[in-house]
């Protein structure tokens, strides 16, 4: 970047951070530049200054840019092996105490596929043990920064192609056909609390989670933010609680000493008791 580009970039990201309520300074700069370039190409502008002027005249473009910046790609049971490991390692360890519940946080939940995958898996696990009351003690917090994604998570309605990765027997058991798609049944939707939380600006909703899923989110942040968020997860987990990161993400910083790596392949960590 030339000095002019650099100052244009700084002015643009400041304006976007303020207007969209997005702390862009915490994200990897290259990643932000690539995403902005996508929108600039789509709009046919060539300088950061021109793009900022266009953003000021066209409020809808700010939404499109925010959408592009937040990268909401997700799927039900994304990385199936990780879910097998959650089922084999995490659920049995957490459900051992009679009357115990499960408090989980899907941090960066996008449109809800991740928290509902967990709800489906936990319900199946509990049903196999005929522990029906425990479903009432399942509480999953699903948080994200992106309002449009959160609205979809709240509705819990998905197109047929979106639920294609849900095993058929679980689709029949936990979803109902609604129009030309499928809606997660109320029994499970009531177990998922959808809230807007910007991981860079707001604290977790609670400090006693048994399980935190933060997958494919840290990757977009700079190193200092990654370390800070690892400290946040440490503080938000109950002793012995589990943290699941994305397949290419790792625990950063001094908190590594307080976690045991339980499954290196699936990036599952356990906070020391
Ligand atoms: C690639 S998706 C991952 C979705 C899901 N965890 C998965 O692995 O399938 C990344 C999500 O992180 C969210 N995100 C990005 N920055 C965030 C922030 N500062 N606070 C909360 N969520 C954020 C995005 O809106 C997006 O929904």
């Amino acid at each position: 970047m030339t000095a002019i580009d650099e100052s244009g970039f700084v002015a643009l990201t400041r304006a976007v951070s303020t207007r969209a309520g997005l702390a862009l300074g915490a994200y990897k700069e290259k990643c932000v530049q690539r995403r902005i370039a996508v929108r600039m190409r789509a709009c046919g502008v060539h300088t950061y200054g021109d793009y900022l002027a266009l953003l000021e005249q066209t409020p809808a473009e700010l939404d499109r840019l925010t959408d592009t910046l937040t990268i909401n790609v997700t799927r039900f049971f994304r990385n199936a092996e990780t879910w097998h490991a959650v089922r084999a390692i995490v659920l049995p360890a957490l459900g051992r105490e009679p009357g115990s519940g499960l408090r989980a946080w899907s941090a960066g939940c996008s449109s809800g596929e991740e928290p509902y995958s967990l709800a489906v898996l936990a319900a199946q696990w509990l049903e196999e043990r005929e522990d029906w009351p425990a479903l009432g003690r399942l509480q999953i917090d699903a948080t994200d920064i992106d309002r449009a994604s959160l609205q979809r998570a709240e509705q819990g309605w998905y197109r047929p192609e979106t639920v294609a990765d849900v095993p058929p027997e679980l689709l029949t058991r936990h979803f109902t056909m609604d129009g030309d798609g499928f809606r997660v049944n109320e029994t499970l939707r009531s177990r998922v609390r959808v809230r807007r939380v910007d991981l860079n600006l707001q604290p977790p909703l609670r400090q006693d989670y048994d399980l935190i899923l933060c997958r494919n989110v840290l990757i977009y942040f700079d190193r200092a933010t990654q370390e800070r968020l690892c400290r946040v997860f440490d503080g938000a987990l109950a002793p012995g609680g589990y943290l699941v990161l994305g397949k290419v993400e790792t625990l950063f910083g001094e908190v590594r000493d307080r976690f045991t790596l339980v499954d290196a392949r699936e990036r599952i960590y356990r906070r020391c008791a």
Side-chain angles (χ1 to χ4, degrees):
M1 263 199 284
T2 64
I4 294 171
D5 285 348
E6 181 71 48
S7 66
F9 179 73
V10 171
L12 174 63
T13 49
R14 272 209 194 119
V16 171
S17 296
T18 312
R19 276 167 219 198
L22 200 79
L24 276 188
Y27 293 78
K28 286 179 185 149
E29 193 171 280
K30 287 246 155 17
C31 192
V32 174
Q33 281 169 359
R34 270 200 305 272
R35 300 277 132 194
I36 290 176
V38 169
R39 288 310 312 156
M40 285 172 60
R41 265 199 306 279
C43 297
V45 296
H46 303 290
T47 68
Y48 290 126
D50 286 351
Y51 185 58
L52 179 54
L54 186 127
L55 273 177
E56 277 161 359
Q57 291 152 18
T58 328
E61 179 53 25
L62 184 64
D63 293 340
R64 280 181 222 119
L65 175 64
T66 311
D67 239 23
T68 310
L69 284 167
T70 51
I71 312 170
N72 307 115
V73 182
T74 186
R75 286 169 56 186
F76 274 99
F77 296 105
R78 182 178 193 176
N79 300 121
E81 328 75 61
T82 306
W83 292 99
H84 289 310
V86 167
R87 194 192 147 91
I89 302 168
V90 179
L91 295 182
L94 294 177
R96 209 166 280 147
E97 302 281 310
S100 62
L102 170 63
R103 296 168 297 261
W105 178 21
S106 168
C109 67
S110 190
S111 34
E113 286 85 336
E114 181 177 274
Y116 289 126
S117 295
L118 177 64
V120 165
L121 198 74
Q124 186 196 32
W125 194 81
L126 293 169
E127 281 175 15
E128 282 169 13
R129 270 141 206 86
E130 298 190 354
D131 189 358
W132 316 107
L135 194 55
R137 295 191 296 273
L138 172 69
Q139 170 74 64
I140 303 174
D141 287 336
T143 71
D144 202 280
I145 195 174
D146 186 57
R147 291 180 204 280
S149 295
L150 288 171
Q151 233 170 38
R152 292 201 292 277
E154 188 85 64
Q155 286 160 359
W157 182 93
Y158 300 96
R159 296 186 181 288
E161 57 273 25
T162 309
V163 294
D165 293 327
V166 180
E169 70 280 9
L170 295 180
L171 188 64
T172 311
R173 176 82 183 88
H174 297 294
F175 294 71
T176 305
M177 274 211 88
D178 183 352
D180 54 359
F182 293 83
R183 193 178 299 276
V184 181
N185 288 343
E186 173 60 20
T187 317
L188 289 194
R189 262 190 301 134
S190 68
R191 308 318 321 150
V192 177
R193 174 166 73 152
V194 179
R195 292 285 183 279
R196 185 173 187 273
V197 172
D198 181 341
L199 291 168
N200 292 315
L201 301 177
Q202 287 149 323
L205 296 175
R206 53 196 305 167
Q207 303 286 331
D208 59 351
Y209 288 110
D210 302 302
L211 168 64
I212 297 177
L213 301 169
C214 186
R215 303 163 65 222
N216 311 299
V217 180
L218 287 184
I219 195 170
Y220 301 113
F221 295 124
D222 63 20
R223 183 61 183 258
T225 306
Q226 291 172 333
E227 287 195 18
R228 190 188 62 76
L229 284 174
C230 290
R231 286 197 298 277
V232 168
F233 298 146
D234 176 37
L237 274 173
Y242 287 86
L243 172 66
V244 183
L245 300 177
K247 294 274 288 200
V248 296
E249 294 165 330
T250 9
L251 202 56
F252 288 108
E254 79 276 11
V255 297
R256 271 182 307 194
D257 296 343
R258 289 207 283 286
F259 282 83
T260 309
L261 182 56
V262 183
D263 186 325
R265 230 180 131 84
E266 305 310 328
R267 307 296 158 107
I268 301 181
Y269 299 84
R270 185 168 204 188
R271 187 182 185 272
C272 299

